[in-house]
Amino acid sequence: MKFLVPFLSLLLFSSCSSDVSETSEAEVLFDGSSLGAWDFDEGAWEIDGDGALTCNMKEVITKGGEKKVSGMGYIWTKEEYGDFELSLSYKLSEGANSGVFYRSSREDSVHGGHEIQLMDNVGFQKTHGEKDVRKLHGSFYEGQAPSSNPANPVGQWDTMTLRAEGPKITCYINGVEVFDVDVNDWPEVGKNPDGTENKFKVAIKDKPRRGYIGLQNHGQVVWFKDVMMTSLD
């Protein structure tokens, strides 16, 4: 009997995986050879010598007359996605703050979409001060803190898998589940289920269920590779 339970669990997992693979074919969004699936400002993103997608910076002058390095804009998929499973690998530079937007508007990604925070927690907080746990690496941004931080040391590659199906959104980093949420649990504007506040001008429950995938350039260098999309619509 003790051998039967693991076997049934494996069988169930295999069955669920087969359902996805049989009904949907994975779409390559980036494999190191082309940026044809993406829209971005000229020069803002490029394929580096190792075949990774990376962001570029520019020097700007602040209102105070100081020179500052700034990002050159996000990169967005040409297509919109509703229910899907997205997988990719990413690498952060020291002190980096980035993210993956999904079901998002391009014009207002903060209030018109969702984000998974990707951050060097130690390095970024060292230069920008302590951040709320709901804004740290692997969080359901502003809504829920990650259950853990299974990231590799900064400078090494991590993997991320995001599954969005109806109101359910689940995220894994390096194979470890970091959040599993139902957006219907966020019916109030500016408030989370645990009573804490978020900054959104619309209830998370009422955010779009379909939109673009975006990769964030927040002023620090990040890299992405092996970006794959499987539609569940």
Side-chain angles (χ1 to χ4, degrees):
M1 182 66 181
K2 64 180 180 180
F3 298 107
L4 182 59
V5 174
F7 174 77
L8 290 176
S9 299
L10 179 61
L11 185 62
L12 179 60
F13 175 79
S14 300
S15 175
C16 292
S17 300
S18 298
D19 288 343
V20 173
S21 61
E22 287 176 5
T23 58
S24 304
E25 184 175 341
E27 173 189 1
V28 177
L29 294 182
F30 178 74
D31 63 0
S33 64
S34 170
L35 294 174
W38 303 85
D39 287 329
F40 55 98
D41 291 339
E42 184 176 358
W45 292 77
E46 66 178 9
I47 302 174
D48 70 9
D50 295 323
L53 173 61
T54 189
C55 55
N56 292 318
M57 307 296 158
K58 63 182 178 181
E59 191 176 82
V60 298
I61 306 298
T62 67
K63 292 181 180 180
E66 299 178 349
K67 292 182 178 180
K68 176 185 176 182
V69 174
S70 176
M72 296 176 64
Y74 302 171
I75 185 169
W76 295 98
T77 55
K78 292 181 182 293
E79 302 296 330
E80 294 181 297
Y81 301 92
D83 291 351
F84 62 84
E85 184 168 292
L86 172 72
S87 65
L88 55 80
S89 296
Y90 65 94
K91 182 170 66 172
L92 303 174
S93 60
E94 186 174 355
N97 174 10
S98 182
V100 176
F101 292 96
Y102 55 99
R103 289 179 169 176
S104 179
S105 159
R106 295 186 184 189
E107 292 73 27
D108 187 2
S109 55
V110 174
H111 303 286
H114 299 283
E115 179 188 359
I116 300 165
Q117 182 77 294
L118 303 180
M119 176 187 283
D120 168 16
N121 290 345
V122 175
F124 189 80
Q125 291 182 104
K126 187 182 296 182
T127 55
H128 291 77
E130 185 176 356
K131 299 298 176 182
D132 187 283
V133 292
R134 293 173 293 112
K135 298 180 180 182
L136 296 181
H137 186 263
S139 62
F140 179 60
Y141 185 67
E142 283 275 344
Q144 183 173 298
S147 56
S148 64
N149 181 16
N152 292 318
V154 172
Q156 295 185 17
W157 287 98
D158 295 293
T159 63
M160 188 208 78
T161 301
L162 173 71
R163 186 182 180 95
E165 193 166 17
K168 296 279 289 181
I169 303 173
T170 310
C171 181
Y172 298 85
I173 292 177
N174 294 328
V176 178
E177 183 183 289
V178 291
F179 67 76
D180 180 18
V181 300
D182 184 328
V183 297
N184 289 333
D185 293 335
W186 278 262
E188 296 184 63
V189 176
K191 185 168 286 189
N192 297 317
D194 62 2
T196 58
E197 296 182 349
N198 63 59
K199 66 181 180 182
F200 302 128
K201 298 176 182 177
V202 60
I204 290 178
K205 171 182 177 292
D206 296 327
K207 286 193 172 193
R209 300 288 174 96
R210 185 175 187 85
Y212 298 97
I213 305 296
L215 307 178
Q216 186 181 47
N217 178 352
H218 214 309
Q220 301 89 26
V221 180
V222 292
W223 297 264
F224 296 91
K225 66 178 182 178
D226 303 328
V227 187
M228 302 291 293
M229 169 65 72
T230 301
S231 174
L232 303 177
D233 287 330

